[in-house]
C-alpha cells in the first residue's frame, strides 16, 4: 500500500517549477512581431534587387582565427564579445558579416561571377555585449558588400545609398550619415605616429583600457566612450590633415557623390569604427532622436589580402534590423496583416464530417483558394460564430446527412441564404462565386 509521502515533498514547489527563460540578450520574435519582420525582409529583398545585389548566406559558425585576423585582436568584438563554441576548438558564432563574406568570396572563387560583384546577406550575428536599449546579444543584420577591381568611390556611395533607400522605404525619416576616411597603408602610419605622440603626452589622463591598447592600436582611442578619453579626442590630430593625395581624392569624390543625391551627411574626422580591416571610407547612420547607430560600414581594400587571398577592392555596410525596427515602431508605417483573408470557412457536424472536411480542405489547398476552419471546435454554434468573426464570405457546412448524400451546404454569410450543392461540384461553385 502506498503511504502518503508528504514529508518528502520539496518545501518550495514553485521554485522547482520555475519556467525557463531565453538567455540574457537573446530574444524570441513573436507572432505579432512577424508582420514587422516580414516587412523588413521584403524591403531588404526589394532594395537589394533594385541595386542588383545577389544574395549569399555565409555559415553562422566560423573559425575564431578569421575574426582575429580580420577585425584585429584588440577590437572589442574579438577581445570581449565572441561566443566561442565548447564542442570544437577555435570555432565561434559569427559576430558580423564582412569577414565571412570575404572568406566565402575567396573560398568559392566568386570573382568569377564578374566585377563589380554586389552581394548581400541577411541573418543573425552574435555578440556578448551588455544588453541595453537597442543592443542585443543575438541580433539580425542586413549586409551589403561590393567587390571590385578598383577602389572606386562610387561604390562607397552606392553602399550608403542602398542603406538609405532601405530605411526610406521603411518610412524611417531623418537619418543622417556620419562619414569619415581613415586613410590607407601609405598615409596611416604617419597619422598613427602623430596619434601616439599626442596620446603619449596625455597618457595619465587616459582610461585603463586605452593605456593598455595605446601602443598596439592608437586608433582605438578615438573610439573610446570613457568621459576623459572623449574629452581628449577633441584636440587629437585630425586624419583629414594627414591624408595622402589618393585618399584625399577618394574621400572628396565620395562626398561629392552623396551630395549629388542629397543624402544628409556630416563629416566626422574622429570616426574610426574600431576594426582593423577598414581603410579609407568609414560611416555610421543615426536616426533622429536615437542614440545608437542603426547602420555602419566602410571600405576594406586590404581584407582579402589579410586573409591570404588576392588583393581585391571592396566596400560595404550593415544595418541592425532590431534597431531599425525600434525606430520604425515610432513612425508612420504600420504593417498590414501578413496573410490574405480567407474567403471560405469550413464547418462540420459529427466525426465522419470532420474527417471529410479535413480532406476537403486539402482539396482546396490544391486550388490556391484560402480556407479557414475551426476543426477543433465541436459545436456548430461555436463554428458558425468563428466563421462570422473570420470575415469569410461563404461557409461550407458538412453534416451527417450531407456526408451520406455526398452533398454540402453552401451558405452566404452576409445574406444568410444557403443551398445544397453536390460535393463533387463544390470547388467549381466556390470559384464561380468568388469571381
Ligand atoms: Zn592614403
Ligand atoms: Zn579610453
Amino acid at each position: 500500500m502506498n503511504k502518503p509521502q508528504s514529508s518528502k515533498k520539496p518545501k518550495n514547489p514553485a521554485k522547482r517549477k520555475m519556467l525557463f527563460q531565453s538567455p540574457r540578450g537573446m530574444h524570441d520574435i513573436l507572432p505579432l512581431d512577424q508582420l514587422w519582420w516580414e516587412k523588413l525582409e521584403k524591403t531588404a529583398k526589394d532594395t537589394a534587387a533594385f541595386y542588383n545585389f545577389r544574395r549569399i548566406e555565409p555559415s553562422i559558425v566560423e573559425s575564431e582565427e578569421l575574426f582575429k585576423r580580420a577585425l584585429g585582436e584588440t577590437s572589442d568584438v574579438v577581445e570581449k564579445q565572441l561566443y566561442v563554441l565548447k564542442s570544437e576548438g577555435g570555432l565561434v558564432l559569427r559576430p558580423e558579416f564582412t569577414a565571412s563574406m570575404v572568406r566565402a568570396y575567396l573560398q568559392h572563387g566568386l570573382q568569377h561571377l564578374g566585377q563589380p560583384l554586389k552581394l548581400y546577406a541577411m541573418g543573425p550575428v552574435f555578440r556578448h555585449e551588455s544588453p541595453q536599449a537597442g543592443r542585443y546579444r543575438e541580433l539580425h543584420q542586413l549586409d551589403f558588400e561590393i567587390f571590385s577591381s578598383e577602389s572606386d568611390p562610387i561604390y562607397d556611395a552606392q553602399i550608403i545609398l542602398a542603406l538609405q533607400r532601405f530605411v526610406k522605404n521603411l518610412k524611417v525619416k531623418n537619418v543622417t550619415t556620419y562619414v569619415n576616411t581613415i586613410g590607407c597603408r601609405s598615409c596611416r602610419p604617419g597619422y598613427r605616429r602623430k596619434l601616439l605622440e599626442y596620446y603619449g603626452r596625455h597618457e595619465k589622463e587616459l582610461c585603463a583600457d586605452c593605456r593598455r591598447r595605446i601602443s598596439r592600436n592608437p586608433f582605438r582611442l578615438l573610439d573610446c566612450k570613457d568621459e576623459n578619453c572623449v574629452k581628449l579626442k577633441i584636440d587629437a590630430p585630425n586624419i583629414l590633415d594627414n591624408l595622402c593625395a589618393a585618399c584625399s581624392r577618394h574621400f572628396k569624390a565620395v562626398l561629392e557623390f552623396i551630395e549629388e543625391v542629397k543624402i544628409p551627411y556630416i563629416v566626422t574626422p574622429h570616426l574610426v569604427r574600431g576594426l582593423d580591416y577598414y581603410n579609407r571610407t568609414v560611416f555610421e547612420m543615426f536616426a533622429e532622436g536615437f542614440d545608437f547607430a542603426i547602420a555602419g560600414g566602410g571600405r576594406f581594400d586590404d581584407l582579402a589580402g589579410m586573409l591570404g587571398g588576392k588583393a581585391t577592392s571592396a566596400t560595404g555596410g550593415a544595418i541592425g534590423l532590431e534597431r531599425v525596427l525600434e525606430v520604425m515602431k515610432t513612425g508612420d508605417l504600420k504593417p498590414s496583416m501578413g496573410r490574405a483573408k480567407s474567403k471560405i470557412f469550413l464547418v462540420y457536424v459529427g466525426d465522419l464530417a470532420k474527417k471529410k472536411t479535413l480532406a476537403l480542405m486539402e482539396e482546396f489547398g490544391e486550388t490556391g483558394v484560402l480556407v479557414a476552419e475551426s476543426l477543433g471546435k465541436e459545436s456548430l454554434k461555436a463554428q458558425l460564430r468563428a466563421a462570422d468573426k473570420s470575415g469569410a464570405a461563404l461557409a461550407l457546412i458538412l453534416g451527417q446527412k450531407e456526408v451520406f448524400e455526398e452533398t454540402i451546404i453552401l451558405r452566404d454569410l452576409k445574406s444568410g441564404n444557403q443551398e445544397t450543392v453536390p460535393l463533387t461540384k463544390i470547388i467549381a461553385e466556390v470559384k464561380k462565386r468568388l469571381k
Side-chain angles (χ1 to χ4, degrees), residues 41-294:
E41 282 164 20
K42 183 174 184 311
T43 307
K45 285 178 186 170
D46 291 348
T47 309
F50 181 76
Y51 291 101
N52 206 15
F53 284 87
R54 298 160 78 170
R55 189 159 184 176
I56 172 172
E57 281 308 328
S59 94
I60 290 174
V61 175
E62 291 276 8
S63 73
E64 184 174 9
E65 193 54 35
L66 173 69
F67 299 105
K68 282 187 175 167
R69 191 92 68 81
L71 280 58
E73 306 231 8
T74 58
S75 62
D76 273 353
V77 176
V78 168
E79 255 186 354
K80 305 171 189 162
Q81 299 171 353
L82 287 179
Y83 276 91
V84 182
L85 298 192
K86 197 175 171 186
S87 52
E88 217 171 326
L91 294 185
V92 296
L93 298 180
R94 67 181 178 205
E96 58 119 55
F97 273 108
T98 304
S100 299
M101 296 284 256
V102 178
R103 193 266 308 140
Y105 178 90
L106 296 171
Q107 178 180 345
H108 304 289
L110 298 183
Q111 64 272 21
H112 296 306
L113 294 174
Q115 304 257 310
L117 179 62
K118 298 180 176 181
L119 298 176
Y120 83 101
M122 189 166 33
V125 300
F126 300 85
R127 291 188 187 184
H128 194 263
E129 299 195 82
S130 20
Q132 47 183 275
R135 194 179 282 181
Y136 300 99
R137 289 177 170 178
E138 177 189 21
L139 52 143
H140 293 76
Q141 289 188 340
L142 165 65
D143 183 80
F144 292 116
E145 317 277 7
I146 304 178
F147 296 85
S148 61
S149 46
E150 300 291 324
S151 180
D152 191 328
I154 191 82
Y155 300 129
D156 298 315
Q158 273 196 325
I159 292 288
I160 293 172
L161 278 178
L163 293 168
Q164 280 274 359
R165 166 128 343 254
F166 174 66
V167 292
K168 204 170 166 189
N169 288 348
L170 293 169
K171 304 254 191 308
V172 172
K173 289 184 199 136
N174 302 327
V175 173
T176 303
T177 301
Y178 293 79
V179 60
N180 190 28
T181 176
I182 54 167
C184 68
R185 274 188 293 193
S186 61
C187 58
R188 208 154 16 151
Y191 179 57
R192 187 178 190 273
R193 270 196 303 278
K194 286 190 184 173
L195 276 181
L196 275 174
E197 198 219 338
Y198 172 79
Y199 280 117
R201 273 190 276 129
H202 297 278
E203 194 162 350
K204 288 198 181 104
E205 299 153 63
L206 291 169
C207 76
D209 258 358
C210 285
R211 272 202 297 265
R212 187 172 48 79
R213 57 197 175 187
I214 179 164
S215 55
R216 286 174 81 187
N217 191 347
F219 298 98
R220 292 294 319 285
L221 275 57
L222 296 170
D223 220 13
C224 185
K225 305 284 183 282
D226 178 88
E227 201 185 328
N228 273 332
C229 298
V230 170
K231 265 189 223 154
L232 271 179
K233 190 169 80 171
I234 300 169
D235 292 320
N238 188 330
I239 180 77
L240 300 179
D241 303 328
N242 292 278
L243 294 174
C244 69
C247 285
S248 204
R249 261 199 315 276
H250 186 102
F251 191 49
K252 191 164 165 267
V254 173
L255 298 183
E256 278 169 11
F257 286 131
I258 57 179
E259 184 114 29
E260 181 69 25
V261 284
K262 300 190 169 57
I263 296 270
Y265 73 91
I266 294 172
V267 175
T268 315
H270 290 136
L271 179 67
V272 287
R273 301 273 305 144
L275 302 177
D276 278 4
Y277 57 63
Y278 286 123
N279 72 321
R280 292 190 167 164
T281 318
V282 289
F283 68 88
E284 286 179 350
M285 290 178 180
F286 285 79
E288 194 179 22
F290 292 85
D291 60 0
F292 47 74
I294 53 170

